[in-house]
Amino acid sequence: MIALRQTNSVFKCIIRSSSPALGEIQRYLSPIFVVARFYSAGVMEVEALRKLVMEKQSAVDKQGDAVRALKAAKVAKEDIDKAVTSLINLKLDLKSASKELQAKISDEGDSGEGAALSKEAFRQAVNNTLERRLFYIPSFKIYRGVAGLYDYGPPGCAVKANVIAYWRQHFVLEENMLEVDCPCVTPEEVLKASGHVDKFTDLMVKDEKTGMCYRADHLLKDYCKEKLEKDPLLSVEKVNELKQVLAVLDELSAEALGTKIKEYGITAPDTKNPLSDPYPFNLMFATSIGPSGSSPGYMRPETAQGIFVNFKDLYYYNGNKLPFAAAQIGQAFRNEISPRQGLLRVREFTLAEIEHFVNPDDKSHSKFQNVANLEFLIYSREEQMTLKPPVKIRLGDAVAKGTINNETLGYFIGRTYLFLTTLGIDKDRLRFRQHLQNEMAHYACDCWDAEIECSYGWIECVGLADRSAYDLKAHTEKSGVPLVAHETYPEPREVEKLVITPAKRELGLAFKKNQKMIVESLEAMDEVEALELKARLESEGKAPFEVCTLGQTVTLTKDMVSISKELKKEHQRVFTPSVIEPSFGIGRIIYCLFEHCFYTRPSKAGDEQCSVFCFPPLVAPIKCTVFPLVQNEKYEATARFISKSLTAVGISHKIDITGTSIGKRYARTDELGVPFAITVDFESSVTIRERESKVQIRVSVDEVASVVKEVTEGQSTWEDVLWRYPTHTTNSVDE
Amino acid sequence: MIALRQTNSVFKCIIRSSSPALGEIQRYLSPIFVVARFYSAGVMEVEALRKLVMEKQSAVDKQGDAVRALKAAKVAKEDIDKAVTSLINLKLDLKSASKELQAKISDEGDSGEGAALSKEAFRQAVNNTLERRLFYIPSFKIYRGVAGLYDYGPPGCAVKANVIAYWRQHFVLEENMLEVDCPCVTPEEVLKASGHVDKFTDLMVKDEKTGMCYRADHLLKDYCKEKLEKDPLLSVEKVNELKQVLAVLDELSAEALGTKIKEYGITAPDTKNPLSDPYPFNLMFATSIGPSGSSPGYMRPETAQGIFVNFKDLYYYNGNKLPFAAAQIGQAFRNEISPRQGLLRVREFTLAEIEHFVNPDDKSHSKFQNVANLEFLIYSREEQMTLKPPVKIRLGDAVAKGTINNETLGYFIGRTYLFLTTLGIDKDRLRFRQHLQNEMAHYACDCWDAEIECSYGWIECVGLADRSAYDLKAHTEKSGVPLVAHETYPEPREVEKLVITPAKRELGLAFKKNQKMIVESLEAMDEVEALELKARLESEGKAPFEVCTLGQTVTLTKDMVSISKELKKEHQRVFTPSVIEPSFGIGRIIYCLFEHCFYTRPSKAGDEQCSVFCFPPLVAPIKCTVFPLVQNEKYEATARFISKSLTAVGISHKIDITGTSIGKRYARTDELGVPFAITVDFESSVTIRERESKVQIRVSVDEVASVVKEVTEGQSTWEDVLWRYPTHTTNSVDE
């Protein structure tokens, strides 16, 4: 369950690592943006803030204990309600203080307003190239488009296919995961069980005259930011108040938001009309399954639920053994109220999700040692709370110290690091940030986000959560089908136990094909239900019994089930597995990759800046281009021959036989991030040019496809082949 | 645009070709079904029927000419309407006769009723294995499922990924196609332009008391079939009437269907309640984009529209050159009224579609010679009309004779044949059937379906259509953006021409950012519109002008556009390209593949039948399994070592270390269609067993991964490696 939330955060200077050590080559970089800062630093001292957060945390803990004690003592409902209200208020206080602390941390390292502009300029430069070369196209453009919907054009589509293929190899194949492929159309009851029907909402306000809709928090945020940025006469108190509002924005209730909007006199931005009170809008695309109108459904908001509902079959498929992981890659949908942030906040996107099921008592991972020595930026809860920056730490140490809750979660964090950096994400702009206590759902055990820094700030691209047994329990409860695992004890144990023995023969005679569902429902009863049923059967001889999975109530007689408490030898334990969920937002990863791979360098003549995407061959949409140096039948025939040999070895490529200058054609391939360009300047031998170094080698026509294949697929590096073939020096002004 | 229509048709005997020529091996086949027949043959003689069809065709042609003449003569509307009504009636007559003719063809070769049962039994056997081994899972099963929605479980998902990867290699990479990836959520106006909002419907009736919905044609079909099958007292006239109804079922209007339902006294099958009149139900899943409720949208019914709306950008990306092809793989949705036919008729499915854009005056294909010598079953319109069976014919001859309209269409038919047979579709149960004249849309130039025979009959799995310029013209008209191509003449030509010259400067000053849209709309005017605008501007000095793309009407003044008719030298021609569209129903292909690859053979002991899927390695969900012969730490270590080397070379595999007998473990892998099994019976060397022949060879542990890789990826055949390694003979009773 990836929560596509976004953090406002420091935007750091891009320092690109230099290209392979080739003495004569220089890397030209355009340092067109540096660091950004949105609004001025707070007033309160950091230490004081930290102390405040600690105090509030302890107040919340105490009140939580008090509520639990009241519940256990079964005091009157209004007393419990009162205590709960007070707990909620304390939590809100805590969140507000924590948020302010976080905002303070984000302020560190910021440096003035001009930087925000160059950040925008950089983003504009990347996006111009992406749109011009059809990496993306606004969907349905000839019909004026739809906000939040984008197509991948040919190179974008190829990059996406490469990223997904590598994900499948790196995760599914490597771990022998059970991949499934479920429909997007999902019936309501599944999403009712998962909580999406009730809770997957944003707060919305409507223009009372035109009916135009806005996200309530966006309007409040825009108001506060504009005030802070543009009103020089604000008092210190007002500045603090507005900053406070920004800090707790995500946590405000509908009432609190409405109050603030009224208080500040915020009106509809387009018309200045008054606004309605905020109310929740469900973010799922609703539809109806079948023609009757009586089966509501939604386009799935995530792929995870398709795995959870199949747990029983998948566990069986895995030989009834834990741990195992299932995975799914597919579309997910989110009907945003008003999408912002271009390619990062869209209404339809591809998710790749893993659900790794484990015994809650043993979250070790047999392959953890393979990743334990990785070192990368980890931003623990403690560092966030003590205002320290993220630190580079050995993964094995983070797990050993308990910073990361368990080996399995740690293993996936390590594998995610390897996945992202292999794709070309800059390791210095990638960090794993732990959720603060107040960010996590009550049932979650530990959560981390892989955050990648781009021009929008630090963006959550992968969520890694230990969700304990929550999802399987929710579906067990709603469906009546037990989603559980079994553990066989080495030695049987003697325990007093509720024994439910459905009489299958009698049930079969009475209920025919429904027998199986009834048996499963009987076996799924908890102790209270079972003892009630037993009492009724004993007193009346028969009893009604609701079978959720059938959607009906049947009448059972005494001979159909035996219920008793017995001293039994237990040979096994039945339990709900915990699930550890790495969830990848493929589109966000790709967008960040585009920003990390983009740079400009001057043309040889020095008169213009050329855009380059330095994709690794693994990701590059096209692996190589083939150019005849001049338009000439012989060279074109050679080019076609080479094209055929490249197709034969499975290397995607493009022939360019336009008469454009060779320099311009190189520039075009650089813009698409093509790593290698073959130029046909003889019939027997040709040159291969590497994008980053611009160095060319001379290779015979018969060998060229296999050389490109080996450097593209990673059997050799460019440095390896540099030793094997003569370097080619060109006299052209273009290069 | 794949029309997922289904034909009732002959079900032929499966004669499986025998496995590679290995002398000692026998193939055991279970001939559990043979041939089917639904209802008895007609009464009319074939020749008479054929003559009738010819007559009716000529009557339709004549009346069509008459209507065109009346329209040209601009006679009164009611006269034209009358003539059109008469044309429609003649067409319906023609369709009815053609259908009866087709039904007659389908009857040929049928052989009695018992066969229908064994066909069912075969399907049951395949589907049992598919469900038991989780190739498919009914979606949301624990919530009692949703009709027409299925999940692919792990092996099904792997097969699907393999089929899609091969499709991408065989089509996209081979032809340098421009692949795009567009959203499923589509705004209404796009599907209004394509015709789906108005015409993508099925006729539905409702139970007047319960509101339960049924497909009107299904009820009528069921009624007729049951009467024909079960009522021995039917008169010859009644038999003919019912057969006639079945023949024209697809073509009946809502009124005609309603009349028949009333006439036969058909009631709701579940309740026997009366039924409503039939009315059209749109088969798209409807939704709403954004929160306002004012932007209706649908889940796309096909992927093709995403390509058409991007034509302009894609043409530019291709250097403004024709021909080129674009492709898209993705989900499509169809909200069936009441899905039947299990895995073939589903509510969500994956399509892979190609739109190949060509100059309508030149549909030759530069690579046609590569496929011209292929020979396979072609079922031309002429053969269907003359009641001959499909014939094996050389593709080059079919195009030369004009049976297939043009080389490009022929090329894709050939490539589709290669694609399907390489996957493992039996070439003797694959045919390319041409649409009859009355099956094609009026704008289509020639249409063929790749039909695969399975237990449901001959199933349309790929549609190959030359759709002329229809789709691009429809979107040009609705959006106002010209989706056209340009052809430069070798020599300029002098022609009288309408010249529209928007004054960009004046338009820019007056309309700012809207200038571009207005210029495009002005340039897109046809002659009539342009001359009207010219007249009004000249008489009044200004004129209103509707800009579709802006959704508003602007006021133009005389200085903003110059319109004239001039003698001009034309250097180029502007035209709407034709599109040739191969459209693949991936799910249907996979299901047919499962049936074609399934067979049973007795276990060695001969006491039971074992199921086998003989997938080619390309398609197999898992390429090999690894078993330690007995449970033993040393063998298990060796197995893990082999597993690691297989992962390193990218071969998907599964370890099975259960203590189950080796024969049972082989049977399990056969059921999943795993082509190779590695058994660890020493620490230094192991055996590899090939699924079809069950022959084993002995290979050293260090070599085993590379041997499996080369036979799996096709660098070597199993026969090749048989010569290189010693054959292993087992003494186990299991094998």
Side-chain angles (χ1 to χ4, degrees):
Chain A
M1 191 182 284
I2 194 169
L4 298 170
R5 197 186 40 72
Q6 205 218 327
T7 326
N8 275 321
S9 191
V10 187
F11 196 83
K12 287 194 187 158
C13 184
I14 291 188
I15 308 295
R16 298 191 42 77
S17 61
S18 72
S19 64
L22 296 162
E24 73 281 24
I25 302 137
Q26 286 198 335
R27 169 68 73 79
Y28 301 93
L29 292 173
S30 56
I32 59 168
F33 70 97
V34 273
V35 199
R37 167 181 210 159
F38 288 113
Y39 44 87
S40 62
V43 174
M44 247 183 155
E45 279 307 306
V46 163
E47 273 312 300
L49 244 181
R50 201 191 137 225
K51 219 178 131 206
L52 188 70
V53 169
M54 299 291 192
E55 281 167 20
K56 286 182 189 291
Q57 178 71 58
S58 118
V60 165
D61 292 348
K62 263 190 208 155
Q63 185 68 15
D65 290 344
V67 168
R68 268 182 293 279
L70 290 171
K71 280 183 176 171
K74 299 196 170 180
V75 303
K77 190 173 170 298
E78 57 259 47
D79 289 336
I80 296 183
D81 287 349
K82 232 167 111 183
V84 168
T85 308
S86 143
L87 176 59
I88 289 172
N89 286 332
L90 284 170
K91 276 189 174 172
L92 203 63
D93 265 16
L94 168 62
K95 277 178 185 172
S96 146
S98 312
K99 281 272 169 162
E100 191 157 356
L101 194 60
Q102 269 189 273
K104 196 96 178 68
I105 297 163
S106 299
D107 280 353
E108 303 266 303
D110 280 5
S111 69
E113 196 169 311
L117 283 179
S118 37
K119 193 174 64 171
E120 288 279 344
F122 172 78
R123 187 193 304 151
Q124 204 58 55
V126 181
N127 285 355
N128 279 351
T129 308
L130 291 174
E131 279 210 31
R132 187 158 36 77
R133 303 311 307 267
L134 294 201
F135 281 87
Y136 294 102
I137 310 167
S139 300
F140 318 113
K141 194 167 129 184
I142 63 172
Y143 292 97
R144 278 160 294 148
V146 174
L149 292 180
Y150 293 88
D151 300 343
Y152 288 93
C157 194
V159 168
K160 185 179 168 191
N162 293 337
V163 168
I164 287 176
Y166 181 58
W167 193 89
R168 209 172 241 139
Q169 186 198 319
H170 186 79
F171 290 106
V172 179
L173 184 62
E174 178 72 29
E175 317 291 345
N176 265 305
M177 290 179 182
L178 307 183
E179 191 181 344
V180 299
D181 182 12
C182 310
C184 300
V185 174
T186 306
E188 182 169 56
E189 54 193 331
V190 174
L191 296 162
K192 191 92 192 166
S194 68
H196 287 90
V197 171
D198 297 321
K199 291 182 190 153
F200 193 62
T201 56
D202 273 344
L203 290 168
M204 180 165 91
V205 288
K206 264 193 180 171
D207 181 320
E208 289 202 332
K209 289 189 182 149
T210 67
M212 181 95 106
C213 305
Y214 303 93
R215 250 179 77 169
D217 59 341
H218 280 177
L219 295 190
L220 186 55
K221 183 175 169 186
D222 292 347
Y223 173 87
C224 296
K225 282 174 68 178
E226 201 179 319
K227 272 278 169 201
L228 286 165
E229 276 166 20
K230 302 201 175 151
D231 189 343
L233 303 172
L234 282 185
S235 67
V236 173
E237 291 73 33
K238 196 71 187 171
V239 165
N240 279 343
E241 180 191 316
L242 294 174
K243 290 196 62 196
Q244 166 79 358
V245 170
L246 285 171
V248 299
L249 206 61
D250 290 354
E251 323 294 339
L252 293 180
S253 68
E255 292 70 34
L257 261 172
T259 309
K260 280 285 163 208
I261 286 175
K262 284 229 165 61
E263 182 186 332
Y264 295 158
I266 300 173
T267 55
D270 298 289
T271 61
K272 307 294 166 213
N273 289 334
L275 293 165
S276 73
D277 284 335
Y279 60 98
F281 170 74
N282 194 297
L283 297 176
M284 290 191 292
F285 282 97
T287 191
S288 189
I289 304 173
S292 69
S294 62
S295 301
Y298 300 93
M299 303 312 297
R300 64 181 175 194
E302 59 175 23
T303 68
Q305 301 307 322
I307 297 175
F308 295 135
V309 298
N310 282 325
F311 173 78
K312 203 176 154 184
D313 280 336
L314 294 170
Y315 179 59
Y316 169 78
Y317 188 83
N318 200 51
N320 293 326
K321 281 198 175 55
L322 287 184
F324 75 91
Q328 182 166 198
I329 306 169
Q331 292 304 87
F333 302 82
R334 194 180 158 120
N335 194 12
E336 295 287 348
I337 293 170
S338 50
R340 296 178 171 194
Q341 291 190 308
L343 295 157
L344 286 178
R345 177 71 76 180
V346 291
R347 284 179 163 148
E348 183 175 336
F349 44 93
T350 303
L351 286 184
E353 297 191 292
I354 296 165
E355 308 298 330
H356 181 93
F357 298 101
V358 290
N359 183 335
D361 300 337
D362 177 12
K363 294 180 180 173
S364 64
H365 196 290
S366 62
K367 287 158 77 180
F368 181 71
Q369 284 319 311
N370 299 353
V371 295
N373 286 323
L374 291 175
E375 267 192 49
F376 48 81
L377 286 177
I378 285 188
Y379 201 13
S380 71
R381 197 176 293 147
E382 196 188 321
E383 255 104 35
Q384 295 171 60
M385 296 292 281
T386 53
L387 290 182
K388 288 178 191 149
V391 286
K392 216 161 225 170
I393 183 172
R394 201 182 140 269
L395 183 56
D397 295 339
V399 172
K401 286 197 303 179
T403 308
I404 295 172
N405 183 278
N406 58 70
E407 273 190 11
T408 298
L409 189 55
Y411 179 71
F412 281 111
I413 288 176
R415 293 289 297 168
T416 299
Y417 172 82
L418 291 174
F419 173 72
L420 294 173
T421 51
T422 306
L423 288 184
I425 292 295
D426 179 358
K427 66 179 171 33
D428 295 325
R429 287 189 285 156
L430 166 64
R431 69 183 186 194
F432 288 83
R433 190 183 70 80
Q434 191 171 30
H435 283 202
L436 296 179
Q437 205 67 47
N438 61 40
E439 285 179 85
M440 291 200 301
H442 64 92
Y443 49 76
C445 174
D446 191 11
C447 297
W448 293 77
D449 288 342
E451 294 184 334
I452 304 176
E453 196 186 33
C454 76
S455 69
Y456 290 101
W458 284 95
I459 301 298
E460 176 203 348
C461 291
V462 185
L464 299 120
D466 181 336
R467 298 176 54 78
S468 73
Y470 179 74
D471 308 280
L472 293 181
K473 279 189 173 160
H475 285 295
T476 298
E477 197 173 303
K478 279 275 173 187
S479 69
V481 177
L483 304 178
V484 293
H486 304 261
E487 180 191 18
T488 306
Y489 296 131
E491 298 276 301
R493 300 177 192 181
E494 197 154 84
V495 283
E496 200 199 45
K497 254 212 86 174
L498 178 79
V499 180
I500 302 172
T501 317
K504 293 192 183 169
R505 199 177 150 272
E506 283 71 18
L507 288 167
L509 286 171
F511 302 108
K512 308 262 170 356
K513 69 177 171 33
N514 290 338
Q515 180 241 37
K516 202 169 152 242
M517 297 270 200
I518 297 172
V519 168
E520 282 176 354
S521 291
L522 284 169
E523 287 170 344
M525 283 187 292
D526 63 25
E527 188 159 329
V528 178
E529 290 170 316
L531 294 178
E532 270 176 26
L533 180 66
K534 176 187 167 75
R536 186 128 179 209
L537 284 175
E538 278 169 7
S539 65
E540 302 174 25
K542 61 179 185 177
F545 179 68
E546 191 190 342
V547 187
C548 305
T549 46
L550 286 174
Q552 34 172 281
T553 298
V554 298
T555 303
L556 299 183
T557 54
K558 216 181 150 182
D559 58 334
M560 290 178 182
V561 58
S562 118
I563 297 167
S564 57
K565 286 196 104 175
E566 292 171 17
L567 258 192
K568 279 202 82 168
K569 277 201 172 165
E570 276 206 334
H571 298 265
Q572 61 168 15
R573 179 172 78 103
V574 177
F575 61 95
T576 306
S578 280
V579 64
I580 286 159
E581 179 190 78
S583 173
F584 294 72
I586 297 295
R588 290 189 163 195
I589 293 171
I590 291 174
Y591 179 76
C592 291
L593 188 60
F594 287 154
E595 281 205 7
H596 285 205
C597 288
F598 183 83
Y599 66 98
T600 57
R601 57 184 175 193
S603 62
K604 184 140 184 174
D607 53 349
E608 55 180 336
Q609 288 290 317
C610 301
S611 303
V612 186
F613 282 112
C614 60
F615 298 131
L618 174 75
V619 166
I622 299 169
K623 307 306 177 195
C624 95
T625 40
V626 185
F627 309 141
L629 181 63
V630 289
Q631 281 183 310
N632 155 335
E633 188 38 51
K634 281 184 189 166
Y635 287 179
E636 283 176 28
T638 305
R640 278 194 300 275
F641 172 83
I642 292 171
S643 166
K644 252 187 150 163
S645 11
L646 288 168
T647 302
V649 296
I651 296 296
S652 65
H653 62 281
K654 201 178 169 175
I655 298 197
D656 184 345
I657 54 165
T658 57
T660 321
S661 80
I662 199 77
K664 284 229 172 90
R665 283 186 279 173
Y666 281 145
R668 278 187 203 161
T669 73
D670 291 347
E671 268 194 346
L672 285 175
V674 180
F676 303 103
I678 298 170
T679 303
V680 180
D681 56 353
F682 283 96
E683 283 169 79
S684 57
S685 79
V686 296
T687 70
I688 308 179
R689 177 239 196 204
E690 192 269 339
R691 177 194 61 216
E692 293 305 300
S693 62
K694 299 196 258 179
V695 167
Q696 294 176 51
I697 56 172
R698 179 160 295 285
V699 179
S700 80
V701 166
D702 296 327
E703 277 177 284
V704 67
S706 69
V707 171
V708 171
K709 187 182 166 71
E710 66 179 278
V711 288
T712 304
E713 296 185 348
Q715 289 97 346
S716 307
T717 63
W718 178 248
E719 285 69 36
D720 294 338
V721 299
L722 269 186
W723 290 108
R724 281 172 22 210
Y725 297 95
T727 307
H728 170 79
T729 326
T730 171
N731 299 318
S732 153
V733 292
D734 292 319
E735 277 286 305
Chain B
M1 189 184 285
I2 195 170
L4 297 169
R5 194 186 41 73
Q6 202 218 330
T7 327
N8 276 320
S9 191
V10 188
F11 195 82
K12 288 199 188 153
C13 185
I14 292 187
I15 309 294
R16 299 190 45 76
S17 60
S18 71
S19 63
L22 296 161
E24 75 282 22
I25 303 134
Q26 287 198 333
R27 169 72 72 80
Y28 300 93
L29 294 172
S30 57
I32 59 169
F33 72 96
V34 273
V35 200
R37 165 183 215 158
F38 285 114
Y39 42 86
S40 61
V43 174
M44 245 185 155
E45 279 306 303
V46 163
E47 274 312 302
L49 245 182
R50 202 191 135 224
K51 218 178 130 205
L52 189 69
V53 169
M54 300 290 190
E55 282 167 20
K56 286 179 189 292
Q57 179 71 57
S58 116
V60 165
D61 293 346
K62 264 190 207 153
Q63 185 66 14
D65 290 343
V67 168
R68 268 182 293 278
L70 290 172
K71 280 183 176 169
K74 297 193 174 183
V75 303
K77 191 172 170 300
E78 58 259 47
D79 290 336
I80 297 183
D81 287 350
K82 231 166 109 183
V84 168
T85 308
S86 144
L87 175 61
I88 290 170
N89 286 333
L90 285 170
K91 276 189 173 173
L92 203 64
D93 265 15
L94 168 63
K95 277 177 188 175
S96 146
S98 313
K99 281 273 169 161
E100 191 156 357
L101 194 60
Q102 269 188 275
K104 196 98 179 67
I105 296 164
S106 298
D107 278 355
E108 304 267 302
D110 280 8
S111 71
E113 195 169 312
L117 283 180
S118 36
K119 193 173 65 173
E120 288 279 343
F122 173 78
R123 187 192 304 151
Q124 205 56 53
V126 181
N127 286 356
N128 279 350
T129 308
L130 290 174
E131 279 209 31
R132 188 158 34 80
R133 303 311 306 269
L134 293 202
F135 282 88
Y136 295 101
I137 309 166
S139 300
F140 317 113
K141 193 168 127 184
I142 62 171
Y143 290 97
R144 279 160 293 148
V146 174
L149 292 180
Y150 293 88
D151 300 343
Y152 288 93
C157 194
V159 168
K160 185 180 168 189
N162 293 338
V163 168
I164 288 177
Y166 181 59
W167 192 90
R168 211 173 240 139
Q169 188 199 316
H170 185 79
F171 290 106
V172 179
L173 184 62
E174 179 71 29
E175 317 290 345
N176 266 306
M177 291 179 182
L178 307 184
E179 190 181 345
V180 299
D181 182 12
C182 310
C184 300
V185 173
T186 306
E188 183 170 54
E189 55 193 331
V190 174
L191 296 162
K192 189 95 189 161
S194 69
H196 286 88
V197 171
D198 296 321
K199 292 182 189 153
F200 193 61
T201 56
D202 273 345
L203 291 168
M204 180 164 91
V205 288
K206 265 194 182 174
D207 182 320
E208 290 202 331
K209 290 190 180 147
T210 65
M212 182 96 104
C213 304
Y214 303 93
R215 252 180 75 169
D217 60 340
H218 280 178
L219 295 190
L220 186 55
K221 183 174 170 187
D222 292 349
Y223 173 87
C224 296
K225 282 175 69 178
E226 203 180 315
K227 272 279 170 199
L228 286 165
E229 277 167 19
K230 303 199 176 154
D231 190 342
L233 301 174
L234 281 185
S235 67
V236 173
E237 290 73 33
K238 196 71 188 170
V239 166
N240 279 344
E241 179 190 318
L242 295 173
K243 289 195 62 195
Q244 167 78 0
V245 170
L246 284 172
V248 298
L249 205 61
D250 291 354
E251 324 294 340
L252 293 180
S253 67
E255 292 69 33
L257 262 172
T259 309
K260 281 285 162 208
I261 286 174
K262 284 227 167 61
E263 181 186 333
Y264 295 157
I266 299 172
T267 54
D270 299 289
T271 61
K272 307 296 165 206
N273 289 334
L275 292 166
S276 72
D277 285 335
Y279 60 97
F281 171 74
N282 194 294
L283 297 176
M284 292 191 292
F285 283 97
T287 190
S288 189
I289 305 172
S292 70
S294 63
S295 302
Y298 299 93
M299 303 312 298
R300 63 179 176 197
E302 59 175 23
T303 67
Q305 301 307 323
I307 296 175
F308 295 134
V309 298
N310 282 326
F311 173 80
K312 201 176 157 182
D313 280 337
L314 294 172
Y315 179 60
Y316 169 78
Y317 188 84
N318 200 50
N320 294 326
K321 281 200 176 52
L322 287 184
F324 74 91
Q328 182 165 200
I329 306 168
Q331 292 303 89
F333 302 82
R334 191 179 161 121
N335 194 11
E336 294 287 347
I337 293 170
S338 51
R340 295 179 170 192
Q341 291 190 309
L343 297 156
L344 286 178
R345 179 70 76 179
V346 292
R347 284 178 163 149
E348 184 175 334
F349 44 93
T350 302
L351 286 183
E353 297 192 291
I354 295 165
E355 308 299 330
H356 182 93
F357 298 101
V358 289
N359 183 333
D361 300 338
D362 178 11
K363 292 179 180 172
S364 64
H365 196 290
S366 62
K367 287 158 80 179
F368 181 71
Q369 285 318 313
N370 299 354
V371 295
N373 286 322
L374 290 174
E375 266 192 52
F376 48 81
L377 285 178
I378 285 189
Y379 202 13
S380 72
R381 197 176 295 147
E382 196 190 320
E383 255 104 33
Q384 294 171 61
M385 296 291 282
T386 53
L387 290 181
K388 290 181 190 147
V391 288
K392 215 161 226 169
I393 185 171
R394 199 181 143 272
L395 184 55
D397 296 337
V399 171
K401 286 197 303 181
T403 308
I404 295 172
N405 182 279
N406 58 69
E407 272 189 13
T408 299
L409 190 55
Y411 179 71
F412 281 111
I413 288 176
R415 293 289 297 167
T416 300
Y417 172 81
L418 291 174
F419 174 72
L420 293 173
T421 51
T422 306
L423 288 183
I425 291 294
D426 178 358
K427 67 178 170 30
D428 295 323
R429 286 190 285 156
L430 165 64
R431 69 183 186 193
F432 288 82
R433 191 183 70 78
Q434 190 171 29
H435 283 203
L436 295 180
Q437 205 66 47
N438 61 40
E439 283 180 88
M440 291 201 300
H442 63 92
Y443 48 76
C445 173
D446 191 13
C447 297
W448 292 77
D449 288 342
E451 294 184 335
I452 304 175
E453 195 185 35
C454 77
S455 68
Y456 290 100
W458 285 95
I459 300 298
E460 176 203 348
C461 291
V462 185
L464 298 120
D466 182 336
R467 298 176 53 79
S468 73
Y470 179 74
D471 308 280
L472 292 182
K473 280 191 172 156
H475 284 296
T476 298
E477 196 172 304
K478 279 274 174 188
S479 70
V481 177
L483 304 177
V484 293
H486 304 261
E487 181 192 16
T488 306
Y489 295 131
E491 298 275 304
R493 302 178 191 180
E494 199 154 81
V495 283
E496 198 196 46
K497 253 211 90 170
L498 177 79
V499 179
I500 301 171
T501 315
K504 293 192 181 171
R505 199 175 152 274
E506 282 72 16
L507 290 165
L509 287 170
F511 301 108
K512 307 268 170 349
K513 69 176 171 33
N514 290 338
Q515 181 240 37
K516 200 165 154 248
M517 296 272 200
I518 296 173
V519 169
E520 281 176 355
S521 289
L522 284 169
E523 287 170 346
M525 283 188 291
D526 63 25
E527 189 160 327
V528 178
E529 289 171 316
L531 294 179
E532 269 176 28
L533 181 65
K534 178 186 166 75
R536 186 128 179 210
L537 284 175
E538 278 168 5
S539 65
E540 301 174 26
K542 61 180 183 174
F545 179 67
E546 191 189 343
V547 188
C548 304
T549 46
L550 287 174
Q552 35 174 277
T553 298
V554 298
T555 302
L556 299 183
T557 55
K558 214 181 153 184
D559 59 335
M560 289 176 184
V561 58
S562 118
I563 297 167
S564 57
K565 284 197 106 175
E566 293 171 18
L567 259 191
K568 277 202 84 167
K569 275 202 172 163
E570 277 208 335
H571 298 267
Q572 60 168 15
R573 179 172 79 100
V574 177
F575 61 96
T576 305
S578 281
V579 64
I580 287 159
E581 178 188 80
S583 171
F584 294 71
I586 297 295
R588 289 190 164 195
I589 293 171
I590 291 173
Y591 178 77
C592 292
L593 187 61
F594 288 154
E595 281 205 6
H596 285 206
C597 288
F598 183 82
Y599 67 98
T600 56
R601 58 184 175 195
S603 61
K604 184 141 185 172
D607 53 350
E608 56 180 335
Q609 289 289 317
C610 302
S611 304
V612 186
F613 282 112
C614 59
F615 299 131
L618 174 75
V619 166
I622 298 168
K623 308 305 177 198
C624 94
T625 40
V626 186
F627 307 141
L629 182 63
V630 290
Q631 282 183 310
N632 152 335
E633 188 38 50
K634 281 183 188 166
Y635 288 179
E636 284 177 28
T638 305
R640 277 194 301 275
F641 172 82
I642 292 171
S643 165
K644 252 187 152 161
S645 5
L646 288 168
T647 301
V649 296
I651 297 296
S652 66
H653 62 280
K654 201 177 170 178
I655 298 197
D656 183 345
I657 54 165
T658 56
T660 321
S661 81
I662 199 75
K664 286 230 172 86
R665 282 186 280 173
Y666 282 145
R668 278 188 203 159
T669 73
D670 291 346
E671 267 194 349
L672 285 176
V674 180
F676 303 103
I678 297 170
T679 302
V680 180
D681 55 354
F682 283 96
E683 283 169 78
S684 56
S685 80
V686 297
T687 69
I688 307 179
R689 175 234 195 211
E690 192 270 338
R691 176 194 62 215
E692 294 305 300
S693 63
K694 299 195 262 181
V695 167
Q696 294 177 52
I697 56 173
R698 179 160 296 284
V699 178
S700 80
V701 165
D702 295 328
E703 279 177 282
V704 67
S706 68
V707 171
V708 171
K709 186 182 167 71
E710 65 179 277
V711 288
T712 304
E713 296 186 347
Q715 288 96 347
S716 308
T717 64
W718 178 248
E719 285 68 35
D720 293 338
V721 300
L722 268 185
W723 291 108
R724 281 169 24 208
Y725 298 94
T727 308
H728 170 77
T729 325
T730 171
N731 298 319
S732 154
V733 293
D734 291 319
E735 277 285 308

